[in-house]
Amino acid sequence: MNSSTIKMAIGLLALTGVSSADADIFDQLKGKLKSESKKAIEQNINQKAGDEKPAASNDSQPSSSINLGSGPAKNLTAMTTCSNIKIENVMTGYQGDYTFQDGFKKEERSGFIQRKPGTVSGGCILPSLKSGQLAYMEVDTEAYESLGNSNDWTMQCLRSENPSAGALTESEPKTESIYSVSALSGKDMMLYCGNSEGIEECAEGSNSHRSGEWSKKLKKKGKTMLSVRAFTSTLAPKGGEKLYCQYYNKTHRVSLFALEYIRARN
């Protein structure tokens, strides 16, 4: 029975008068009318709610996933002119803690750990680095110094996905991307003997003594060490980004090395 039929029945009862028995019927019809009206209102509300679209969430966009792949794209490496200086003893790894045994006591120090040999491609392109990784290399000291001093060299970085935007130092401080080639020191390379990394080339003594031992080794070989770190930046987007950098000689217009790395947000 719909609501209009119920209303008509109530109207007739009201006009003709009702007995006590009829009053019961009237009460039943009245109750049913209320129930039908309530049901109709609820259906109307539900229909309106179904027509409304949910509000868009600001968190609906997932963070981008950065993948280094097989290295920098050709359009990036094509912008780098390598010098004729050979890059040797390339390693990638992290700076962290290692242990060594001193009698019964286990000691802990920090240094260049989780080392892996790296390969140079295209004349001077180093292995790509994940956020937090470091790259170590050695070059011939005489050849390196023949291209000038530290004032002749500068680090240039750009966004791999938008190289046409130019060097990052034109729009942000140089310290927000790789800028130093001395991220590691001699003591980071010359670990304590019996170290947990299993590195046999080692030394004893203080940090300065072990640094001195590493310097002696390099001098004997006629080599200079350089190292870079893929550190984080507050200017990086939420999901991180890839930067392509080259260590550029302003006087001779050549690069000693270049690499791509992930700049993550800190």
Side-chain angles (χ1 to χ4, degrees), residues 89 91 112 115 136-138 184-191 199 201-203 207-221 223-226:
N89 198 22
M91 290 180 275
F112 187 43
R115 303 179 189 182
Y136 171 90
M137 74 206 85
E138 295 172 4
L184 294 168
S185 64
K187 65 97 175 173
D188 295 316
M189 301 304 300
M190 188 68 85
L191 306 186
I199 297 173
E201 192 171 32
C202 60
N207 288 342
S208 59
H209 175 74
R210 297 195 328 277
S211 288
E213 291 300 304
W214 189 260
S215 295
K216 288 179 184 178
K217 171 205 164 186
L218 291 175
K219 188 175 182 179
K220 186 176 181 180
K221 294 166 56 181
K223 303 295 182 183
T224 294
M225 65 176 276
L226 300 97

Side-chain angles (χ1 to χ4, degrees), residues 76 79 157-171:
L76 297 174
M79 293 188 288
C157 296
L158 46 76
R159 289 184 172 86
S160 299
E161 300 302 320
N162 188 20
S164 61
L168 291 179
T169 50
E170 296 176 6
S171 59

Side-chain angles (χ1 to χ4, degrees), residues 41-62:
I41 292 170
E42 289 176 348
Q43 287 177 344
N44 188 37
I45 292 172
N46 291 337
Q47 183 176 358
K48 287 183 177 180
D51 291 339
E52 293 179 357
K53 294 181 180 180
S57 171
N58 292 331
D59 299 327
S60 60
Q61 294 295 329

Side-chain angles (χ1 to χ4, degrees), residues 116-224:
K116 293 182 179 179
T119 303
V120 178
S121 61
C124 66
I125 311 301
L126 298 178
S128 298
L129 300 179
K130 298 176 183 178
S131 180
Q133 268 191 312
L134 296 99
Y136 171 90
M137 74 206 85
E138 295 172 4
V139 296
D140 182 81
T141 300
E142 187 176 342
Y144 181 47
E145 292 179 349
S146 70
L147 295 183
N149 56 36
S150 59
N151 294 325
D152 295 295
W153 295 94
T154 183
M155 191 71 74
Q156 298 178 332
C157 296
L158 46 76
R159 289 184 172 86
S160 299
E161 300 302 320
N162 188 20
S164 61
L168 291 179
T169 50
E170 296 176 6
S171 59
E172 62 184 53
K174 71 173 186 178
T175 53
E176 294 300 321
S177 53
I178 289 178
Y179 66 95
S180 171
V181 292
S182 56
L184 294 168
S185 64
K187 65 97 175 173
D188 295 316
M189 301 304 300
M190 188 68 85
L191 306 186
Y192 271 91
C193 294
N195 57 79
S196 55
E197 293 294 301
I199 297 173
E200 295 182 359
E201 192 171 32
C202 60
E204 305 289 345
S206 65
N207 288 342
S208 59
H209 175 74
R210 297 195 328 277
S211 288
E213 291 300 304
W214 189 260
S215 295
K216 288 179 184 178
K217 171 205 164 186
L218 291 175
K219 188 175 182 179
K220 186 176 181 180
K221 294 166 56 181
K223 303 295 182 183
T224 294

Side-chain angles (χ1 to χ4, degrees), residues 23 25 27 38-39 56-57 92-93 109 111 141 159-160 170 215 235 254:
I25 297 174
D27 290 337
K38 183 179 179 181
K39 186 176 181 181
S57 171
T92 61
R109 296 290 187 276
T141 300
R159 289 184 172 86
S160 299
E170 296 176 6
S215 295
L235 301 183
V254 294

